[in-house]
């Protein structure tokens, strides 16, 4: 019997199957997100799914603890500029994007603010996620203006609150997304 030589096509296909997945995981944005998310999951970090456009003052501390019962919340009374109590949790991902922590603030046991601290490298993705869910910011024209008068913080006016996110992050900036309820006694037009 004659020795059968491997086909060049088969060899190339095998090499592609071996080298493409690691390349994709290490050198592409989506691959990095998948590998970061998988690593956070392996480390036991929680995933939290929050519909930013559905947040409103009707939610209480008990609602947050019930809906996200698998998350280890640290709740208690603490006066801040956002309210008189808060619930904080260390998380791994927010809506599938690597993040660090989420804090719900309450005023009189009603949701008054939510702050998400995410990983700096995912700023553009968080921005894209918010635009995908809430549309373009209300101040997009002012944010895109040239010069020192351009808005640095993007603002989305929602039915039951406002979302705030910096347009770009400076090296010392904390990567954070903030939802604020309307001020108590504020009239909506």
């Amino acid at each position: 019997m004659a020795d059968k030589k491997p086909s060049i096509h088969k060899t190339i296909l095998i090499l592609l199957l071996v080298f493409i997945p690691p390349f994709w995981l290490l050198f592409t944005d989506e691959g990095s997100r998948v590998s970061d998310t998988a690593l956070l999951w392996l480390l036991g970090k929680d995933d939290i799914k929050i519909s930013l456009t559905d947040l409103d003052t009707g939610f209480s501390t008990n609602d947050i603890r019930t809906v996200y019962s698998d998350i280890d919340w640290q709740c208690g009374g603490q006066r801040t500029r956002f309210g008189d109590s808060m619930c904080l949790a260390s998380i791994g991902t927010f809506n599938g994007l690597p993040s660090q922590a989420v804090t719900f603030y309450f005023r009189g046991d009603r949701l008054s603010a939510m702050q998400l601290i995410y990983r700096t490298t995912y700023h553009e993705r968080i921005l894209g996620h918010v635009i995908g869910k809430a549309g373009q910011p209300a101040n997009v024209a002012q944010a895109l203006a040239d010069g020192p008068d351009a808005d640095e913080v993007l603002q989305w006016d929602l039915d039951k609150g406002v979302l705030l996110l910096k347009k770009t992050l400076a090296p010392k900036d904390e990567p954070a997304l903030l939802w604020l309820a309307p001020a108590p006694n504020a009239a909506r037009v």
Side-chain angles (χ1 to χ4, degrees):
M1 269 194 186
D3 288 333
K4 188 174 181 182
K5 291 185 178 181
S7 156
I8 186 80
H9 294 76
K10 235 185 227 183
T11 304
I12 290 173
L13 179 61
I14 290 170
L15 289 173
L16 285 174
L17 290 173
V18 168
F19 290 111
I20 292 294
F23 177 83
W24 179 77
L25 285 171
L26 296 173
F27 299 111
T28 66
D29 288 341
E30 183 62 14
S32 293
R33 185 195 65 78
V34 168
S35 58
D36 287 351
T37 302
L39 180 62
L40 290 166
W41 177 77
L42 287 171
L43 293 173
K45 296 291 186 177
D46 292 314
D47 177 43
I48 190 167
K49 303 237 185 280
I50 301 172
S51 176
L52 298 170
T53 57
D54 292 332
L55 290 173
D56 72 49
T57 57
F59 295 115
S60 68
T61 306
N62 193 42
D63 293 333
I64 299 301
R65 287 183 155 188
T66 302
V67 170
Y68 304 110
S69 60
D70 55 335
I71 294 179
D72 183 25
W73 293 102
Q74 306 300 316
C75 297
Q78 181 175 344
R79 186 161 298 286
T80 69
R81 63 180 177 241
F82 300 125
D84 50 28
S85 65
M86 58 191 252
C87 287
L88 167 72
S90 175
I91 59 172
T93 58
F94 157 78
N95 293 353
L97 297 167
S99 299
Q100 295 176 341
V102 65
T103 306
F104 287 97
Y105 296 91
F106 301 91
R107 181 174 286 116
D109 201 36
R110 291 289 164 220
L111 185 63
S112 58
M114 186 274 309
Q115 181 183 36
L116 170 75
I117 306 297
Y118 53 89
R119 298 177 191 281
T120 304
T121 56
Y122 290 96
H123 178 73
E124 295 295 324
R125 290 222 147 173
I126 294 285
L127 179 58
H129 174 77
V130 173
I131 289 172
K133 297 296 181 185
Q136 290 294 326
N139 63 338
V140 70
Q142 295 88 344
L144 293 177
D146 289 333
D149 295 334
D151 286 351
E152 291 298 317
V153 176
L154 301 173
Q155 177 178 326
W156 288 263
D157 295 326
L158 306 175
D159 290 336
K160 300 173 185 173
V162 63
L163 278 174
L164 301 170
L165 181 66
K166 287 201 82 165
K167 182 172 59 173
T168 57
L169 294 177
K172 293 181 181 179
D173 288 342
E174 179 178 50
L177 169 69
L178 186 63
W179 174 86
L180 296 172
N185 305 326
R188 299 286 282 180
V189 180

